[in-house]
Amino acid sequence: SSGINAEYGNVTAQEERLSSMVKRSCIETGVNYYVGSYLAHIGNINSIYACLAECRKNSRCNGASWSTDTKYCSLSEKRRGSQPSINGKVVSINKVCYDTLTGDAAKWKSCIEENTDYSGADISGGQSYGFATEWDCMGWCINTANCQSITHQPNNGHCWLKHKPYGDNKRTNVANLTSISLACMQSAN
């Protein structure tokens, strides 16, 4: 019995390390993605995590940059800007990415809806082939403005980005389609 508990503890510790590494992939040092698209500038902020806390207070905020030099936090509606500025004294964070990747593996798995199509609500230009897994497709969604869910076709790698949490119509018993909603990924439990 103690061997099982030790093994479970190791798995839990590994999941926590993996979750931490994945969340850190939402933070980029030396890149300012939000130049010219700020909602607000807030002074006397001591870390990117304190800057993220300020972003969470503003319902329109999807990303932020923090200056290690001036200690200013700049909030943006964008998840990730399209014209990054290289600046070694700035750290940027995609809030949607960070907040989506906070669950453990069991939580993430519970959000995968196999044989389900979130039909309709496609984002214009948000369709592509070449996504090996639904998580690759979700990675594209996390970094795309207004994306709230995906439908993925595993047999050919087709990915559709959706601007509604469950498309216009959630259809079940649809073979070869898998769908995931950011709303599920970001929910508390």
Side-chain angles (χ1 to χ4, degrees), residues 86-161:
I86 306 304
N87 182 338
K89 295 181 179 181
V90 172
V91 181
S92 292
I93 188 165
N94 175 333
K95 178 184 79 86
V96 176
C97 174
Y98 194 89
D99 288 351
T100 299
L101 302 178
T102 56
D104 61 21
K107 170 62 184 165
W108 295 344
K109 188 173 182 179
S110 74
C111 293
I112 299 172
E113 296 194 69
E114 293 181 348
N115 299 315
T116 300
D117 179 19
Y118 296 165
S119 65
D122 293 342
I123 293 176
S124 178
Q127 301 177 40
S128 185
Y129 289 95
F131 290 87
T133 71
E134 59 272 3
W135 297 114
D136 295 330
C137 185
M138 182 55 79
W140 185 27
C141 177
I142 287 169
N143 287 300
T144 301
N146 302 317
C147 186
Q148 295 186 36
S149 61
I150 61 104
T151 294
H152 179 254
Q153 194 167 25
N155 63 337
N156 63 12
H158 200 145
C159 173
W160 293 269
L161 304 184

Side-chain angles (χ1 to χ4, degrees), residues 17-33:
R17 280 193 299 273
L18 178 59
S19 176
S20 175
M21 287 175 10
V22 169
K23 285 190 284 188
R24 276 186 268 144
S25 72
C26 302
I27 300 170
E28 294 194 56
T29 301
V31 178
N32 184 352
Y33 281 109

